[in-house]
Amino acid sequence: MKNENLIFRPAARADLEGIVGMLADDSLGRTRENPDLPLERSYEEAFRAIDEDPNNELIVAEADGKLAGVLQLTFLPSITYRGSWRAMIEGVRTSSAMRGRGIGREMIRHAIGLAEEKGCRLVQLTTDKSRPDAIRFYESLGFRPTHEGMKLRLDKGDGKE
């Protein structure tokens, strides 16, 4: 599905409350995000760090003038693959009110296009094993589970990974 009224742009500070709201609006997000206002300072600090880093992009999708989705795209230089760049996609969410319209698919395609423009050799992402629909979605876009991902929690918070 092509969304004629869908635009992608860098996130602005004014989007932050809506972004955190989208991140918190699912079963896993509810356990690790806090959309209560005013937002915790850590969200402001993270937004500022991403915004100031030329290798990070926080991208929002707007549909019909409303916040429809978000993702973070990080460009990583690498010694592997002959010193090539790779792109990491994180924090992908579509507004629950706009799911099923192909917005997530268009966001990922947009991120892949940006990675190609940067000259990245590959695009990688992780998704929680408890999300079979997300796994199928990413596979439908050409992603393959070629590696076993591992994480080590450094904080002892109550939120899930």
Side-chain angles (χ1 to χ4, degrees):
M1 168 191 300
K2 184 73 174 164
N3 289 283
E4 300 300 326
N5 298 322
L6 188 63
I7 64 163
F8 302 103
R9 62 173 174 76
R13 168 53 193 93
D15 299 317
L16 191 54
E17 292 172 3
I19 290 169
V20 174
M22 277 191 286
L23 293 173
D25 188 22
D26 72 13
S27 60
L28 290 178
R30 276 188 283 283
T31 68
R32 56 187 176 199
E33 306 300 342
N34 180 7
D36 293 344
L37 302 178
L39 290 177
E40 294 175 16
R41 184 185 339 202
S42 58
Y43 289 116
E44 298 275 352
E45 292 168 352
F47 178 85
R48 189 170 28 260
I50 293 166
D51 193 48
E52 293 174 358
D53 183 343
N55 289 320
N56 265 292
E57 297 186 29
L58 190 60
I59 301 166
V60 294
E62 278 187 10
D64 303 319
K66 296 179 182 158
L67 200 59
V70 64
L71 65 76
Q72 182 175 343
L73 182 62
T74 302
F75 298 108
L76 304 160
S78 177
I79 296 298
T80 63
Y81 287 105
R82 298 182 178 182
S84 66
W85 284 78
R86 63 183 64 201
M88 170 76 98
I89 299 173
E90 285 284 327
V92 179
R93 292 293 190 286
T94 301
S95 166
S96 59
M98 297 188 184
R99 288 187 189 135
R101 293 175 46 182
I103 293 169
R105 183 169 300 279
E106 293 297 321
M107 284 194 313
I108 297 298
R109 286 182 177 152
H110 178 73
I112 292 169
L114 293 173
E116 288 173 332
E117 288 174 16
K118 177 82 173 178
C120 292
R121 180 176 175 117
L122 62 89
V123 177
Q124 61 192 36
L125 54 78
T126 62
T127 190
D128 195 284
K129 290 180 178 184
S130 70
R131 295 180 172 195
D133 291 341
I135 293 167
R136 279 191 296 278
F137 168 72
Y138 291 123
E139 287 177 340
S140 78
L141 287 162
F143 289 87
R144 297 292 171 252
T146 60
H147 291 68
E148 185 70 25
M150 298 178 149
K151 295 185 180 188
L152 173 66
R153 293 260 334 229
L154 299 177
D155 68 328
K156 302 302 180 210
D158 292 333
K160 289 185 74 171
E161 184 59 38

